[in-house]
Amino acid sequence: MPSPNRHTAHNALTPTALVITSHLLRHDNPNLAQAIQQALKALPSAPATTSADGASTELNRQLLSNLHAQTVGEILAALTALGQQALHDHQRHPERVALLHELLDEWVALAEWILQRNESPPNQWH
């Protein structure tokens, strides 16, 4: 799973990242793992658009129609907790830390994509 470059328009999570995230969260956060699995099952098998930007946008929209922005935040929190545990593990497994870092990068990119498309603050902020 390559590390995403946040400076490009490709900010969609890959299906592989979704599967791995679900697998990592299944013991400590089974509800989040199940939500990811359901969102993954609901994704279309092939993107409707041919451009990379359009495919990323469509994948993100499809994903969010099932996961919702709040769930993305909860997944980020759960992955962060796993990352902290991995860093404090006395037998440190660098490959696990690297994997968690890559997953966090992808989920953060999705969160940034959500924020970029929702730039106007809610009415209660005025």
Side-chain angles (χ1 to χ4, degrees):
M1 179 174 54
S3 262
N5 181 348
R6 289 193 204 145
H7 300 293
T8 66
H10 181 70
N11 287 332
L13 278 164
T14 62
T16 302
L18 291 168
V19 169
I20 294 169
T21 302
S22 176
H23 181 75
L24 287 173
L25 297 180
R26 74 183 188 279
H27 293 294
D28 295 333
N29 296 283
N31 291 337
L32 289 178
Q34 182 64 30
I36 293 168
Q37 284 297 317
Q38 289 173 346
L40 188 59
K41 288 177 187 173
L43 290 178
S45 58
T49 174
T50 57
S51 74
D53 293 348
S56 294
T57 297
E58 186 58 31
L59 183 59
N60 285 343
R61 285 186 180 143
Q62 288 286 331
L63 189 58
L64 289 174
S65 70
N66 292 291
L67 276 182
H68 309 290
Q70 182 176 345
T71 306
V72 171
E74 292 170 5
I75 291 167
L76 277 166
L79 288 173
T80 299
L82 286 177
Q84 288 174 332
Q85 289 173 1
L87 288 173
H88 294 318
D89 184 1
H90 295 293
Q91 297 179 356
R92 285 227 178 130
H93 301 282
E95 64 282 349
R96 182 173 173 88
V97 173
L99 175 64
L100 286 164
H101 186 261
E102 287 183 29
L103 287 172
L104 278 165
D105 276 348
E106 288 198 32
W107 284 96
V108 165
L110 178 62
E112 288 175 349
W113 182 89
I114 294 168
L115 292 172
Q116 289 170 356
R117 274 132 194 91
N118 201 11
E119 291 180 359
S120 59
N123 289 333
Q124 68 263 25
W125 290 7
H126 296 285

